[in-house]
Amino acid sequence: MSILTINESWSPSTVLDGRKPILIVEGMSASFLPDDLFDLTIACFTGDKAELSRRLARDTKERHRDATFIEKTHQIRHQQYHHYLEPLILKSRYLDRSVP
């Protein structure tokens, strides 16, 4: 099954071809896709400082976002992750690997 990505100002919508031998789907939205779409699932967890550092580097360069905005919204995003996404990942019956 192929997946259509969301159109964003920094990245136009694209079809991810599910027939490829290896297809890496990353990001928080991937966790809300049906588990049976994937042969192997790996969850990577980073600490708060590493996550902020990664977001600052990526979002200021690739998405042209303001660093102050990223820092202000980081705590809210981190809370949302722990509230919504982390329990979903940890309870997934299809999670094959977890990388701290």
Side-chain angles (χ1 to χ4, degrees), residues 29-68:
S29 298
S31 297
F32 298 98
L33 295 171
D35 288 334
D36 59 355
L37 286 179
F38 306 100
D39 296 321
L40 176 69
T41 57
I42 301 171
C44 298
F45 300 98
T46 60
D48 190 44
K49 288 181 183 178
E51 179 186 348
L52 178 57
S53 175
R54 180 192 59 78
R55 286 189 63 218
L56 281 167
R58 179 197 65 199
D59 289 1
T60 55
K61 182 178 178 184
E62 295 177 17
R63 299 177 180 179
H64 309 291
R65 293 204 177 136
D66 180 64
T68 304

Side-chain angles (χ1 to χ4, degrees), residues 27-32 45 79-91:
M28 290 168 70
S29 298
S31 297
F32 298 98
F45 300 98
Q79 290 170 348
Q80 291 171 340
Y81 167 81
H82 284 293
H83 183 76
Y84 297 107
L85 189 59
E86 189 175 53
L88 184 66
I89 291 171
L90 295 176
K91 291 180 181 177

